[in-house]
Amino acid sequence: GRPAGGASAAGAPRAPSGKPLFSKILKMDHLACFLPGTIAMALHHGVVPRGEGHEEVAEGILKTCIDMYRMTPSGIAPEILSLGPGNTPEVRRNDRHNLLRPETAESLYFVGLLTGKPRYRRAAWDMFAAFRAGSRASDGAYTSLDDVYAQPSRRRDDMPTFWLAETLKYLFLNFAPPTLLPLDGWVFNTEAHPLRIFPRGAEAA
């Protein structure tokens, strides 16, 4: 018999009742757009080998992230992209907001460094231009948006701290010389703070 709470014969985890523990939800949050950059860093540092399809996976996910921006009238991505019948991309009304998140800008930077392809720098510029046109307030601050499909969208009375600490920083780095923070000498934490890499055994100066 099947152990309580174990896997079924097909390998899918199930509860003691026999019902699947997980179900597939055909959606992709903007938060997932950090993954191409993570794969790019793993490739750069040799954590995963090149030539086994990891590059294609990273660029494929990043293409979806870029398309989330290009598919809206404002050029700004919604929070969540869903897949409808026939895997047709759709955005539900409750998912049309934008919180100025950094994940796509982050992956554009790292994948751009890995591949050297100029299209990622162009995509970063398009993102910045769209934010400047659609979310910049009269006092120079940038705000979250209620509906990226509305023209113009109602602005929320907030500017997330990660807009300055992460999103703008990564957008800037997309246009900075690669020698500014070379990946063999610096690593970024989850909040985009660059930390120097010291050789093993070396003491911090």
Side-chain angles (χ1 to χ4, degrees), residues 1-186:
R2 183 178 66 246
S8 68
R14 293 181 177 273
S17 64
K19 293 182 178 180
L21 288 175
F22 307 106
S23 60
K24 183 185 294 184
I25 301 175
L26 299 178
K27 72 181 183 70
M28 177 172 163
D29 292 38
H30 189 281
L31 286 166
C33 290
F34 81 94
L35 185 56
T38 301
I39 296 173
M41 288 293 290
L43 286 162
H44 176 79
H45 290 289
V47 177
V48 295
R50 294 177 183 255
E52 293 188 359
H54 301 293
E55 297 93 333
E56 290 78 5
V57 170
E59 291 197 82
I61 298 172
L62 185 52
K63 180 181 184 303
T64 300
C65 299
I66 294 170
D67 288 345
M68 288 175 70
Y69 284 81
R70 292 178 173 168
M71 69 186 292
T72 69
S74 64
I76 300 173
E79 181 69 7
I80 299 173
L81 176 69
S82 299
L83 293 178
N87 288 339
T88 303
E90 62 181 26
V91 180
R92 297 170 184 169
R93 182 157 297 278
N94 289 340
D95 300 333
R96 291 184 171 189
H97 55 287
N98 180 278
L99 303 179
L100 307 179
R101 292 195 185 277
E103 291 80 18
T104 298
E106 175 184 355
S107 284
L108 287 170
Y109 173 59
F110 289 121
V111 176
L113 284 179
L114 179 76
T115 65
K117 294 178 180 178
R119 67 168 176 257
Y120 297 121
R121 182 173 290 183
R122 290 196 296 268
W125 177 255
D126 290 342
M127 279 181 57
F128 174 72
F131 279 126
R132 184 175 175 84
S135 66
R136 187 172 185 265
S138 58
D139 61 0
Y142 285 74
T143 69
S144 302
L145 300 176
D146 270 346
D147 185 351
V148 295
Y149 282 85
Q151 293 279 279
S153 172
R154 189 174 75 84
R155 295 185 175 94
R156 297 182 177 183
D157 188 20
D158 71 78
M159 183 175 74
T161 56
F162 53 71
W163 164 253
L164 296 174
E166 300 181 63
T167 311
L168 278 182
K169 185 184 296 179
Y170 279 123
L171 286 172
F172 167 78
L173 287 172
N174 272 280
F175 302 96
T179 54
L180 179 64
L181 292 170
L183 296 185
D184 289 326
W186 297 86

Side-chain angles (χ1 to χ4, degrees), residues 173-198:
L173 287 172
N174 272 280
F175 302 96
T179 54
L180 179 64
L181 292 170
L183 296 185
D184 289 326
W186 297 86
V187 65
F188 292 81
N189 69 7
T190 57
E191 304 307 312
H193 301 311
L195 304 172
R196 185 176 291 279
I197 300 173
F198 293 97

